[in-house]
Amino acid sequence: MVLFSEDHIQETRRRGRIEVICGSMFSGKTEELIRRMKRAKFAKQRVEIFKPAIDTRYSEEDVVSHDSHSIASTPIDSSASILLFTSEIDVVGIDEAQFFDSGLIDVCNQLANNGIRVIIAGLDMDFKGNPFGPMPQLCAIADEVSKVHAICVKCGQLASFSHRTVKNEKQVLLGETAEYEPLCRECYLHARGEDEQKV
Ligand SMILES: [Zn+2]
């Protein structure tokens, strides 16, 4: 469990800021997003979560974390649509941000500049270990970045990499536990080496 400093969290004051929660698969990104959103809700803030319409693994209308603490959310096709829904919102959550278009960077800046707290959760790297979609730029413009970690299933160290266990070269492969495993750098390099020998 990663403990975050709560000094910065201003649940009761309307002040624009951008927070990014990034990490590998199984690192608890969505759980941390939901935890912050729930706390904002307790503070009587108006909250809404958006996610890319591409992510329909569980439900059209809920962000569902892997341990099934869920919070209602709105699936949208493009980042620009977020602006249409946020006139009455204090805290905007964005889940699976890596799947959004690059317009998300401007959208988040606009929201924060208008006094909205924006909390973004997303995969920082794809299965090849490359920066994923708009995540690197979002980390750059964020007021605060929290990198969360999974546990390496091979050695028990902290894991930053999402290793794909099935052979498929597409960057976006939706699915869950069966297709990926969290690995530390050393175990990831070893596993990728073995993958290449199989080709
Ligand atoms: Zn390891």
Side-chain angles (χ1 to χ4, degrees), residues 4-183:
F4 294 99
S5 160
E6 315 244 327
D7 303 345
H8 65 280
I9 298 187
Q10 305 270 346
E11 265 100 1
T12 53
R13 244 173 87 198
R14 188 174 162 88
R15 205 164 75 173
R17 55 182 280 115
I18 299 171
E19 298 162 32
V20 170
I21 305 159
C22 64
S24 68
M25 298 189 65
F26 313 106
S27 61
K29 300 178 299 296
T30 300
E31 288 84 349
E32 177 59 18
L33 171 66
I34 289 170
R35 190 185 75 88
R36 294 185 194 183
M37 297 300 282
K38 281 184 174 168
R39 287 168 60 88
K41 240 172 134 175
F42 290 142
K44 306 274 189 284
Q45 302 269 290
R46 294 161 298 182
V47 308
E48 175 105 36
I49 293 186
F50 299 92
K51 65 175 181 180
I54 184 179
D55 183 29
T56 53
R57 278 172 295 183
Y58 300 99
S59 151
E60 288 292 324
E61 298 196 346
D62 288 289
V63 165
V64 182
S65 64
H66 301 166
D67 66 356
S68 80
H69 287 300
S70 68
I71 189 166
S73 77
T74 309
I76 49 168
D77 291 326
S78 81
S79 61
S81 309
I82 295 174
L83 296 172
L84 305 175
F85 292 104
T86 46
S87 57
E88 301 289 311
I89 302 293
D90 302 303
V91 183
V92 169
I94 298 169
D95 199 23
E96 303 287 357
Q98 75 277 359
F99 292 139
F100 274 109
D101 54 278
S102 59
L104 188 61
I105 296 133
D106 272 349
V107 167
C108 291
N109 264 330
Q110 271 192 59
L111 293 170
N113 293 348
N114 289 328
I116 292 172
R117 179 181 171 199
V118 184
I119 310 175
I120 301 158
L123 280 171
D124 45 13
M125 288 184 277
D126 65 15
F127 76 102
K128 290 181 173 173
N130 294 319
F132 207 150
M135 288 304 289
Q137 289 96 329
L138 292 167
C139 286
I141 63 164
D143 296 87
E144 186 202 278
V145 178
S146 305
K147 185 141 179 165
V148 290
H149 297 89
I151 297 298
C152 176
V153 295
K154 303 265 193 235
C155 76
Q157 299 294 308
L158 291 181
S160 302
F161 294 86
S162 309
H163 176 237
R164 185 177 285 172
T165 54
V166 294
K167 192 172 154 17
N168 189 320
E169 288 299 302
K170 275 172 67 182
Q171 187 187 36
V172 176
L173 183 63
L174 292 171
E176 257 328 297
T177 50
E179 287 93 357
Y180 297 94
E181 60 186 4
L183 296 177

